[in-house]
């Protein structure tokens, strides 16, 4: 379905006023309340001409802003000739409608800006499907408001009297039909991806996750010699890229670069990007990349854990990578972060400082996934021998009559496959193995 707002709501080159409403518990300083939104709006291509911040514990149910601030906003719009007002919070459809009526400008919220950026950046078939689905689901409860936009800008649609309920009904039906189509297509893509990821069972997978612009792609390139896109903009990466990486002292593993996160990601977007994050969900180790030079590094770390939790990624094996230390002005700031996240590694993907320590830490972490086991079974158990040959490192064999006792190192996740009648398993050393085998 054609999006009737496509042209009208395109934020590019529009003059925008940004508004934040912050509470005491938001953990955001007033002076910096709009830093991130400014980055998002600029990435989307609009010109920021003014800002307004209100400290308020409860958002006004009808207009988000209190009465006085609303008057201030109207002045600011007049002064700056703004065509667009962007709210840092997500607005309800009714708040959007009321604000538009009050200010006579286009009101956009944080979700719409993020969706807009994703829509412009999405390149692959999968990413496009995901973004379109998220956009339509976001639009659905706002359809009426959308037509009011058109009415005002084009002096009415068709008859000049504006669309009736009938038009709205037709639109909603078309939209629902497209949503069903997209969901079906995405299911196919998802199944394919799931099969691909499951098929990699014999290789260990390391996934880079983190806040947008933290340096994930730069680190991927620095570690594996890949040439994925790096850019000083938000959401440069939308698709997961996986490369084989020869990890020193270990052997080949798979390294994946994934989409970055941001505070208050639109819920629909998170939901539709589930399949893109399939790699992270099945990773043996997550490298959580943090921009240590960022003022809000700690807040960003928390956000990333929240989103990972929301999309069902298991965070039990995470290595925190404090990146961009070359850009940290005050070294004491790094010490604070190191102290806060004591099991972290400090690097600069740009200058390669600390990369050796990082690869050693990754190898050590991966080896924690191994166990030392003794397995006793019948000498004719060909299925088990084949399984161990594929997945384990057998270090000793001891035969007695018709039985054999095998000592081996095996990835913990493959232990459950060692079963069957008359097979005994004894896990000897569930701890770390210092010299992991070269090949897994
Ligand atoms: N000074 C400095 N800049 C870095 C470092 N690592 C990355 N950058 C810069 O940070 C910006 C973002 O880097 P990317 O690698 O694209 O970040 P990303 O995490 O992949 O971002 P998204 O894909 O947008 O989520 C680029 O301008 C990089 O050059 C670093 O160690 N030091
Ligand atoms: Mg990237």
């Amino acid at each position: 379905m054609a999006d009737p707002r496509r042209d009208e709501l395109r934020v590019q080159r529009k003059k925008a006023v940004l508004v934040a409403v912050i509470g005491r518990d938001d953990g955001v300083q007033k002076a910096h309340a709009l830093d991130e939104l400014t980055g998002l709006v600029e990435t989307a291509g609009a010109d920021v001409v003014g800002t307004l911040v209100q400290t308020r514990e409860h958002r006004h149910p009808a207009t988000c802003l209190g009465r006085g601030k609303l008057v201030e906003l109207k002045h600011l719009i007049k002064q700056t000739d703004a065509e667009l007002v962007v709210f840092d919070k997500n607005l309800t459809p009714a708040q959007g409608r009321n604000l538009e009526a009050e200010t006579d400008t286009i009101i956009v919220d944080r979700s719409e800006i993020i969706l807009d950026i994703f829509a412009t950046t999405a390149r692959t078939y999968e990413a496009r499907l995901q973004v379109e689905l998220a956009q339509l689901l976001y639009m659905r409860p706002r359809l009426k408001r959308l037509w009011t936009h058109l009415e005002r800008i084009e002096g009415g649609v068709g008859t000049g009297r504006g669309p009736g309920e009938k038009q709205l009904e037709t639109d909603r039906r078309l939209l629902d039909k497209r949503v069903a189509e997209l969901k079906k297509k995405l299911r196919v893509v998802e199944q394919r991806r799931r099969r691909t990821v499951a098929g990699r069972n014999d290789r260990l997978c390391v996934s880079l996750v983190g806040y947008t612009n933290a340096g994930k792609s730069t680190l991927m390139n620095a570690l594996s010699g890949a040439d994925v896109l790096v850019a000083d903009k938000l959401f440069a990466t939308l698709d997961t890229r996986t490369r084989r990486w020869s990890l020193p002292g270990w052997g080949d593993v798979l390294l994946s670069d994934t989409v970055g996160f941001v505070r208050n990601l639109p819920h629909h977007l998170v939901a539709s990007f589930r399949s893109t994050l399939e790699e992270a969900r099945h990773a043996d180790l997550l490298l959580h990349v943090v921009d240590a030079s960022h003022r809000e590094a700690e807040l960003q770390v928390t956000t990333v854990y929240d989103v990972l939790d929301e999309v069902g990624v298991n965070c039990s094996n995470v290595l925190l990578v404090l990146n961009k230390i070359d850009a940290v002005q005050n070294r004491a700031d790094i010490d604070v972060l190191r102290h806060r996240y004591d099991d972290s590694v400090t690097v600069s993907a740009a200058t390669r400082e600390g990369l050796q320590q990082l690869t050693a830490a990754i190898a050590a972490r991966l080896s924690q996934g191994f166990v030392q086991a003794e397995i006793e079974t019948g000498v004719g158990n060909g299925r088990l021998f084949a399984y161990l040959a594929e997945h384990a490192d057998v270090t000793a064999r001891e035969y007695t009559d018709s039985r054999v006792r095998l000592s081996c190192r095996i990835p913990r996740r493959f232990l459950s496959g060692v079963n069957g009648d008359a097979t005994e398993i004894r896990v000897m050393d569930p701890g770390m193995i210092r010299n992991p085998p070269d090949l897994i």
Side-chain angles (χ1 to χ4, degrees):
M1 189 186 94
D3 175 353
R5 276 197 305 186
R6 261 282 44 104
D7 295 327
E8 176 244 345
L9 249 197
R10 189 166 287 159
V11 300
Q12 264 173 20
R13 285 187 294 279
K14 285 212 163 74
K15 289 193 223 162
V17 164
L18 312 190
V19 180
V21 181
I22 52 172
R24 235 168 276 126
D25 297 337
D26 286 356
V28 178
Q29 292 171 28
K30 194 169 178 181
H32 298 291
L34 284 166
D35 287 0
E36 186 166 273
L37 188 66
T38 304
L40 288 167
V41 169
E42 284 174 356
T43 303
D47 298 325
V48 177
V49 292
T51 58
L52 193 76
V53 179
Q54 175 167 41
T55 319
R56 191 186 162 97
E57 279 320 305
H58 303 289
R59 288 193 276 159
H60 194 286
T63 51
C64 191
L65 289 174
R67 267 281 131 207
K69 273 287 171 199
L70 195 54
V71 173
E72 219 179 290
L73 175 63
K74 286 190 208 170
H75 278 303
L76 190 59
I77 293 169
K78 219 174 190 170
Q79 247 173 30
T80 55
D81 240 353
E83 303 147 270
L84 195 70
V85 178
V86 188
F87 275 72
D88 193 34
K89 287 273 160 65
N90 293 332
L91 300 170
T92 64
Q95 285 172 337
R97 267 198 303 276
N98 295 337
L99 282 162
E100 276 180 355
E102 287 273 358
T103 60
D104 206 26
T105 50
I106 298 166
I107 303 289
V108 176
D109 68 10
R110 188 182 171 93
S111 278
E112 276 174 287
I113 289 292
I114 296 173
L115 286 169
D116 204 81
I117 298 172
F118 270 64
T120 328
T121 320
R123 290 280 170 271
T124 62
Y125 174 68
E126 181 179 12
R128 281 172 191 274
L129 291 180
Q130 289 169 331
V131 174
E132 191 184 343
L133 178 63
Q135 278 184 315
L136 291 181
L137 291 175
Y138 177 86
M139 269 167 64
R140 199 184 186 284
R142 295 170 174 81
L143 272 181
K144 196 157 190 174
R145 180 182 143 213
L146 208 156
W147 281 103
T148 355
H149 273 154
L150 281 179
E151 238 178 302
R152 196 177 51 241
I153 289 194
E154 294 171 6
V157 179
T159 61
R161 278 180 282 112
E165 284 299 311
K166 205 165 159 222
Q167 179 63 58
L168 198 63
E169 261 312 297
T170 317
D171 248 42
R172 206 164 271 160
R173 259 204 313 277
L174 282 172
L175 190 147
D176 289 343
K177 196 165 155 244
R178 181 68 184 148
V179 164
E181 250 172 54
L182 287 169
K183 282 188 172 166
K184 200 167 148 201
K185 286 183 179 170
L186 269 172
R187 266 198 299 276
V188 175
V189 178
E190 245 170 66
Q191 279 162 3
R192 197 182 317 138
R193 188 183 277 276
R194 213 166 283 151
R195 277 197 301 275
T196 314
V197 173
R200 296 193 192 130
N201 237 354
D202 57 339
R203 285 236 179 271
L204 288 188
C205 302
V206 178
S207 233
L208 291 153
V209 294
Y211 212 77
T212 183
N213 217 41
K216 299 177 291 300
S217 301
T218 312
L219 191 59
M220 165 107 168
N221 292 344
L223 290 174
S224 70
D227 59 349
V228 295
L229 172 77
V230 167
D232 191 10
K233 64 177 222 173
L234 305 175
F235 304 117
T237 307
L238 284 196
D239 315 295
T240 301
R241 295 284 163 84
T242 303
R243 294 278 179 283
R244 184 180 290 208
W245 174 35
S246 177
L247 175 60
W250 179 274
D252 278 355
V253 298
L254 295 173
L255 185 64
S256 297
D257 183 20
T258 61
V259 57
F261 303 147
V262 76
R263 240 180 315 130
N264 302 326
L265 264 178
H267 181 73
H268 296 312
L269 202 58
V270 174
S272 55
F273 267 79
R274 278 184 70 91
S275 105
T276 300
L277 289 165
E278 189 72 12
E279 260 84 354
R281 213 168 301 129
H282 286 90
D284 298 279
L285 174 65
L286 296 178
L287 294 185
H288 178 170
V289 185
V290 184
D291 176 354
S293 70
H294 200 284
R295 192 184 306 108
E296 289 178 347
E298 287 189 35
L299 191 61
Q300 298 188 345
V301 170
T302 316
T303 302
V304 169
Y305 283 127
D306 286 348
V307 181
L308 287 173
D309 189 47
E310 197 178 338
V311 291
V313 174
N314 173 6
C315 291
S316 60
N317 204 7
V318 180
L319 183 60
L320 204 79
V321 183
L322 299 172
N323 187 32
K324 303 199 189 182
I325 41 159
D326 61 295
V328 176
Q329 308 290 335
N330 185 355
R331 286 273 157 161
D333 291 346
I334 279 287
D335 292 336
V336 171
L337 286 175
R338 274 211 199 106
H339 187 70
R340 173 98 175 72
Y341 308 106
D342 53 0
D343 203 10
S344 55
V345 185
T346 319
V347 303
S348 163
T351 67
R352 305 187 67 87
E353 186 184 342
L355 289 195
Q356 262 186 359
Q357 286 93 319
L358 175 61
T359 49
I362 295 172
R365 273 304 187 88
L366 288 177
S367 71
Q368 284 176 359
F370 282 74
V371 291
Q372 181 77 38
E374 285 208 343
I375 299 166
E376 198 187 306
T377 188
V379 287
N381 194 347
R383 191 207 62 82
L384 180 62
F385 299 144
Y387 183 82
L388 291 178
E390 191 175 344
H391 300 299
D393 184 32
V394 179
T395 50
R397 288 180 179 80
E398 225 179 273
Y399 293 89
T400 37
D401 300 329
S402 59
R403 307 286 290 170
V404 58
R405 179 190 287 269
L406 305 154
S407 301
C408 64
R409 280 184 295 220
I410 182 165
R412 192 183 294 277
R413 65 200 169 123
F414 288 129
L415 205 55
S416 58
V418 184
N419 49 24
D421 293 345
T423 301
E424 251 182 59
I425 313 168
R426 212 143 56 93
V427 175
M428 311 297 292
D429 169 20
M432 191 175 128
I433 294 163
R434 298 215 181 278
N435 298 305
D438 270 354
L439 274 179
I440 307 125

